[in-house]
Amino acid sequence: MNDDEWYERHGLRPADVEPVRSMLREQIRLGADNDSALIHLGCEQLFLHGDLADVLLIWQAKHSSFDAACSVEWQLLCGAGRGGSRRSLTCGRSARRRRPRFSPTCRLSIPRT
């Protein structure tokens, strides 16, 4: 399914975002063969939904391929607000070490391992 078909089926603000999450997980699994336009649309849908739990999924989708990284803006990570998104991604405990984190200017940086 391409981005036009997805939009026709779900719209920009779907009532149920679980299919969006599933689609993004599938696109992440495809790696370099994924559809960056479909990923961008899915990330916009999750951004508009504004659930803090989706921030890491958007981050993973953004970095699933070069094309997706170029098409998904970092601002889409802040759907739940800059402060909440920043706290969600901040690396503070060893169990969360591999998660990305925001710098004070809300630019993403990968934690060093």
Side-chain angles (χ1 to χ4, degrees):
M1 178 179 299
N2 66 27
D3 57 319
D4 292 328
E5 294 166 341
W6 185 266
Y7 182 80
E8 286 295 321
R9 178 182 278 180
H10 299 283
L12 194 54
R13 292 181 179 257
D16 181 17
V17 293
E18 197 52 45
V20 179
R21 292 176 181 133
S22 297
M23 177 272 294
L24 284 176
R25 287 185 196 105
E26 179 59 31
Q27 290 297 314
I28 290 167
R29 278 191 284 277
L30 291 174
D33 295 326
N34 63 24
D35 183 342
S36 61
L38 186 57
I39 287 175
H40 187 267
L41 177 57
C43 290
E44 285 182 358
Q45 290 171 323
L46 292 182
F47 168 82
L48 292 172
H49 182 65
D51 188 348
L52 197 53
D54 293 325
V55 174
L56 188 57
L57 180 60
I58 294 170
W59 170 263
Q60 292 168 338
K62 176 178 175 52
H63 292 281
S64 62
S65 72
F66 178 80
D67 290 340
C70 293
S71 69
V72 177
E73 299 86 2
W74 64 266
Q75 290 91 338
L76 293 178
L77 294 161
C78 300
R82 181 177 177 221
S85 298
R86 184 176 174 184
R87 283 188 298 279
S88 174
L89 292 173
T90 300
C91 186
R93 296 204 166 105
S94 60
R96 295 170 54 187
R97 241 190 209 131
R98 299 201 64 93
R99 295 177 103 182
R101 59 187 157 103
F102 279 106
S103 71
T105 59
C106 198
R107 294 189 182 168
L108 291 173
S109 57
I110 301 294
R112 296 181 193 153
T113 54

